[in-house]
Amino acid sequence: MAHFLIVEARFYTDLADELAAGAIEALEAEGHTYERASVPGALEIPAAMMIGYRNPKAYDGYIALGVVIRGETSHYDIVAGESSRALMDLTLNPGLAIGNGIQTVENRDQAWARANRSDKNKGGGAAKAAMALSALRSTMGTQ
C-alpha cells in the first residue's frame, strides 16, 4: 500500500471536487491511502508538492489537480506553461512520482468533459499515472 498527496487547485471548486473524486476513487480501488492539500490556483501546486516532499511524512507519490481555462489575456499561457514546467522539474529533480492532472482548456465545457468521472476522468488518470510511477520507483529500488 502506498501513500499519496493530492494537491488540488481550488480556483474552480466544482471542477476541483470532481477531479479529486476521480483521483480518490482510483487510489481507493487499489487500496492506497492519501492526504489532500488545497491551494488557490495551479501555479501554487508545485510549491505545495515541494512542501509535502520536505515533510517527514513520506509520500510515495503526488497528484496535481487543477483547471486552467483560457481567458482574454496571456495569463493562461503563463499559468499553463509554468505550472507544467515546475511539475516536470519536480519529476526530474528530486525525482517525485507525479501524476499531472492540471487541465488546460478553452472553456468550462471542455473542463467538465475532462473532469467528469463518467467521461474522461482526468483526476482518475492522474492518480493512475502517479501510482504507476511510484510502483516503477519501488521496483527499481530508488526513493
Side-chain angles (χ1 to χ4, degrees):
M1 173 175 29
H3 189 58
F4 292 84
L5 177 63
I6 300 170
V7 180
E8 46 189 284
R10 302 294 303 169
F11 192 83
Y12 299 103
T13 57
D14 53 346
L15 292 161
D17 289 342
E18 187 68 10
L19 286 167
I24 290 166
E25 284 179 359
L27 291 171
E28 289 179 345
E30 297 297 322
H32 299 302
T33 59
Y34 62 90
E35 291 180 45
R36 293 169 73 176
S38 296
V39 295
L43 282 175
E44 292 80 32
I45 291 173
M49 288 186 172
M50 195 61 177
I51 291 167
Y53 171 70
R54 291 184 175 159
N55 187 320
K57 296 178 187 175
Y59 296 107
D60 299 296
Y62 302 80
I63 301 161
L65 301 176
V67 177
V68 183
I69 299 175
R70 186 179 300 279
E72 297 176 359
T73 69
S74 62
H75 185 67
Y76 167 89
D77 297 315
I78 293 166
V79 174
E82 290 301 313
S83 60
S84 289
R85 182 202 51 79
L87 288 180
M88 187 55 68
D89 288 349
L90 290 174
T91 300
L92 299 175
N93 184 22
L96 303 184
I98 298 174
N100 184 352
I102 299 175
Q103 305 308 301
T104 53
V105 297
E106 298 294 322
N107 54 55
R108 284 186 69 84
D109 288 341
Q110 288 179 354
W112 269 109
R114 285 155 182 75
N116 197 324
R117 288 172 283 161
S118 64
D119 198 347
K120 297 185 190 304
N121 191 14
K122 295 296 186 173
K128 289 176 182 177
M131 288 186 278
L133 289 169
S134 176
L136 179 63
R137 190 172 65 190
S138 293
T139 61
M140 293 183 150
T142 60
Q143 284 289 33

